[in-house]
Amino acid sequence: MASLNPLTSKLGFRKAKHLLRRATFNYSKSQLDAIADMTATDAVNSLATLPPNILAEPYDPLPTSNPDGFWTSSTNHPNTFTGQTRKRALVTAWWWYNAINQVTLKHKLSFFIHTSFTVGKDSGAGLSTNFYDHIQLLDLYAYGNLKTLAKKITLDNSMLDYLDNTNNVATNPNENYAREFLELFTILKGPQIGNGNYTNYTEIDVQQAAKVFSGFKQQLSRAIIDTETNLPSGYANKNQHSTSNKTFSAAFNNQVIIGKNTETGMFEELHDFVEMVFAQPETAKAYCRKLYKFYVKSEWNETVENDIITPLSQILITNNYDILPVVKALLASEHFYDADDGNPSDNIIGSIVKSPMQLLNEVSTLFNLELPNPNTNAAQYYANFFFYFVHNVYLKGASMDFFNPDSVAGYPAHYQEPDFDRLWFSSNTLISRYKLIESLILGKNTITSGNIFVKLDTVLFVKNNILNPSNPNDLVTEIANLLYPESIDTDRTNYFKGFLVDAGFPDYYWTGAWSDYISTNDNTTVKVRLDALITAMINAAEFQLM
């Protein structure tokens, strides 16, 4: 029986790896050691911190002669700045730097919200400053209330632009946002049972929702500040709002939202509509299914639906759609750790193919990659490393256009049956995935070309993190235990050991080489071997899974 009961035993190293990978974007040995000695509940609570961002705002180092700098806090109108596409990418550079430098549930939940209320940054999100405000909204509600977020994001300037609601007026309704709000952002369709009837809502409901949303407009100057979020917001134009009553279908018990002709009335209609949608049990289940897919696995059976999804949805409803209690319950549960049946290693731990971002995050944080400091080497971090290498080459080459999925449905790996996350790993993505570690070790973009101003020191990593680096068997085993969800067998250990000790040579060859390095500080020999070993272990099938 699948169980949401909390796992009461201490996590141990294997389950700590599972939790840290699935719940955060920072995966380090020190943090693994810290939470391995905790119970699941204590570990999850320790991760549910809300630290202030390390980087307060993004920075643009261009143009070289007179950088735009902290343009998102400039008093100039947002449309006066050039390079908007680059600047939107720099916003994600700011977000990513905070995400990998903090051990918290916040950033992964922020990304989950991005996949649930999708905006494509380069396919209609508008000005880079508006996109920055959008990302701040996601961060603000990472631990917050989904129902409230559904109201706030309706007036988010990027969302208003992306799904055309800024063009939705009473005399010329635009149903784009209304349709996606129901189909993708909240209740979802359900099985189609007739022409224009999708079980959870109908085409009539889309039309009526569009009327509710009519008249909400972009405010590009950022002159309007929402008093609850303290973020720039769109505005209500009563002259372009449909003032008629909105009558919904039997899917919503034929509820009528009374039409209003004032700005205050428009917000009252929005409130009533969102409350109506979130009053449906299927809305809570839709979010819990998304959370399960995001944190646990992409497919499940009827037992999981009944014993995990449905109880989680009740937790969500009981907490009036606050998301954090649901996430805590899931991540602390016996089910999450494969501990609710007779087979503790069945099919959850190691069952998800890592996204390109997850792959990069783990390599960066586990190996303590020394990135250029954005405050003192802005050009190297924002431009050379992130924009030209991570954003434009690695992530795109690995089929993850960062914060810019190819449709409002999100990244295909999150929704496209039957492959789901297996879509991250294909013949089209192999070169970028496999050349990532090579690029980081060499400090060069080996996917295309260029200096990335980052260099991974494999020797220093081994020296600082491996207990017995002079023994090749222990060395391989310890690294494998850090890198992989499960332990490797003797055959795999011997295979990887071959990168340290040539076939036919005794183990003491490596022991002597390491001893020479320690006594002379000349790492030439061990570096060549360790570079090859780490490259092979990162590119192994075991590391592609989490």
Side-chain angles (χ1 to χ4, degrees):
M1 177 177 176
S3 173
L4 269 181
N5 292 332
L7 184 75
T8 56
S9 60
K10 290 184 177 180
L11 286 177
F13 202 71
R14 174 175 175 264
K15 292 184 178 71
K17 289 189 294 183
H18 177 59
L19 173 61
L20 205 59
R21 277 193 172 101
R22 298 287 182 95
T24 82
F25 285 138
N26 185 298
Y27 180 82
S28 66
K29 186 177 185 301
S30 60
Q31 192 62 33
L32 285 170
D33 291 337
I35 68 172
D37 200 41
M38 298 181 187
T39 65
T41 298
D42 287 344
V44 171
N45 285 337
S46 76
L47 298 175
T49 56
L50 195 60
N53 283 332
I54 294 173
L55 289 181
E57 59 184 311
Y59 183 89
D60 188 356
L62 295 178
T64 304
S65 59
N66 184 25
D68 287 334
F70 299 110
W71 85 98
T72 58
S73 58
S74 171
T75 56
N76 295 336
H77 193 287
N79 67 9
T80 63
F81 293 99
T82 59
Q84 291 291 334
T85 299
R86 185 187 72 254
K87 283 180 168 63
R88 285 191 296 268
L90 299 185
V91 170
T92 67
W94 159 80
W95 181 90
W96 181 78
Y97 190 88
N98 287 318
I100 67 163
N101 280 289
Q102 295 175 318
V103 186
T104 169
L105 303 177
K106 171 190 169 183
H107 300 291
K108 207 144 206 181
L109 266 169
S110 174
F111 195 77
F112 168 77
I113 293 173
H114 160 61
T115 68
S116 300
F117 292 89
T118 303
V119 163
K121 76 177 193 306
D122 299 322
S123 48
L127 298 170
S128 58
T129 311
N130 298 143
F131 180 67
Y132 169 66
D133 297 335
H134 172 77
I135 296 298
Q136 284 190 295
L137 185 66
L138 303 188
D139 279 358
L140 183 64
Y141 283 93
Y143 290 173
N145 189 280
L146 290 169
K147 190 194 301 185
T148 304
L149 173 62
K151 299 170 187 175
K152 298 298 183 184
I153 210 162
T154 298
L155 274 88
D156 171 71
N157 282 305
S158 276
M159 183 64 82
L160 284 163
D161 195 342
Y162 180 62
L163 289 179
D164 307 315
N165 203 71
T166 195
N167 300 321
N168 178 15
V169 298
T171 56
N172 187 22
N174 187 308
E175 297 176 359
N176 209 12
Y177 179 64
R179 183 174 304 280
E180 308 305 4
F181 187 93
L182 293 171
E183 180 178 342
L184 298 174
F185 295 170
T186 56
I187 196 169
L188 311 189
K189 276 186 172 182
Q192 185 164 351
I193 57 177
N195 185 27
N197 187 339
Y198 313 111
T199 304
N200 294 339
Y201 65 90
T202 70
E203 282 296 312
I204 291 174
D205 299 315
V206 173
Q207 295 162 12
Q208 299 304 299
K211 293 180 181 180
V212 171
F213 293 140
S214 63
F216 289 119
K217 312 289 288 182
Q218 265 189 314
Q219 175 57 265
L220 296 183
S221 70
R222 304 171 89 203
I224 298 173
I225 302 297
D226 184 290
T227 56
E228 294 178 354
T229 66
N230 203 34
L231 292 172
S233 170
Y235 68 99
N237 185 334
K238 65 180 181 180
N239 297 321
Q240 295 185 0
H241 178 67
S242 172
T243 59
S244 63
N245 293 345
K246 289 81 178 173
T247 303
F248 291 85
S249 74
F252 296 102
N253 299 314
N254 303 113
Q255 183 168 334
V256 178
I257 293 178
I258 304 300
K260 308 289 178 62
N261 60 4
T262 65
E263 292 179 3
T264 300
M266 289 175 65
F267 284 100
E268 291 171 351
E269 286 190 48
L270 173 62
H271 170 83
D272 291 346
F273 171 72
V274 172
E275 292 290 330
M276 177 188 75
V277 173
F278 278 75
Q280 310 304 310
E282 276 303 313
T283 300
K285 287 185 179 181
Y287 282 118
C288 290
R289 291 181 189 117
K290 286 183 179 182
L291 283 166
Y292 190 89
K293 196 177 298 180
F294 188 78
Y295 283 109
V296 186
K297 59 191 300 188
S298 57
E299 297 167 289
W300 57 91
N301 57 27
E302 187 176 357
T303 299
V304 170
E305 180 72 21
N306 294 333
D307 296 344
I308 304 296
I309 303 295
T310 299
L312 284 175
S313 71
Q314 288 304 309
I315 294 173
L316 190 57
I317 292 169
T318 299
N319 286 277
N320 195 31
Y321 283 90
D322 282 346
I323 192 172
L324 190 57
V326 179
V327 173
K328 283 185 172 183
L330 178 60
L331 298 183
S333 69
E334 292 178 336
H335 179 71
F336 180 71
Y337 299 97
D338 275 333
D340 56 354
D341 57 30
N343 183 0
S345 59
D346 52 10
N347 199 24
I348 290 178
I349 296 178
S351 66
I352 292 180
V353 177
K354 293 172 185 172
S355 73
M357 178 175 63
Q358 182 72 29
L359 201 74
L360 172 66
N361 293 349
E362 286 190 29
V363 171
S364 299
T365 56
L366 178 61
F367 290 97
N368 195 25
L369 200 63
E370 188 173 345
L371 302 177
N373 187 319
N375 295 313
T376 57
N377 291 301
Q380 290 183 7
Y381 172 70
Y382 282 105
N384 298 93
F385 176 69
F386 191 88
F387 183 61
Y388 292 118
F389 175 62
V390 172
H391 182 276
N392 285 4
V393 176
Y394 165 66
L395 287 175
K396 284 188 178 178
S399 195
M400 189 178 197
D401 200 350
F402 203 35
F403 277 93
N404 192 49
D406 56 6
S407 78
V408 67
Y411 304 93
H414 291 156
Y415 70 86
Q416 196 167 97
E417 300 180 67
D419 291 329
F420 292 109
D421 52 279
R422 292 183 289 274
L423 292 169
W424 290 128
F425 197 87
S426 70
S427 58
N428 295 328
T429 67
L430 280 179
I431 291 177
S432 289
R433 288 181 79 101
Y434 282 173
K435 282 188 172 288
L436 171 65
I437 186 63
E438 178 184 88
S439 296
L440 295 176
I441 286 175
L442 293 177
K444 300 176 182 178
N445 174 2
T446 64
I447 304 170
T448 54
S449 63
N451 188 348
I452 62 176
F453 293 95
V454 168
K455 201 165 186 179
L456 191 160
D457 190 333
T458 59
V459 179
L460 189 63
F461 167 77
V462 167
K463 184 179 180 180
N464 291 342
N465 292 277
I466 304 304
L467 293 176
N468 190 19
S470 65
N471 183 308
N473 297 288
D474 291 348
L475 172 60
V476 168
T477 300
E478 286 187 57
I479 295 176
N481 284 340
L482 287 171
L483 292 180
Y484 304 149
E486 305 287 8
S487 300
I488 59 174
D489 59 23
T490 302
D491 287 343
R492 287 299 275 167
T493 300
N494 288 334
Y495 167 75
F496 289 125
K497 188 174 71 171
F499 291 93
L500 301 176
V501 182
D502 291 334
F505 283 78
D507 289 355
Y508 62 72
Y509 170 85
W510 171 257
T511 304
W514 185 260
S515 179
D516 288 344
Y517 156 63
I518 295 298
S519 61
T520 66
N521 205 34
D522 181 355
N523 69 3
T524 304
T525 300
V526 295
K527 176 174 170 49
V528 171
R529 298 282 176 164
L530 286 174
D531 286 353
L533 172 67
I534 296 298
T535 299
M537 295 186 80
I538 291 295
N539 288 339
E542 293 94 332
F543 190 68
Q544 310 307 311
L545 302 173
M546 69 172 183

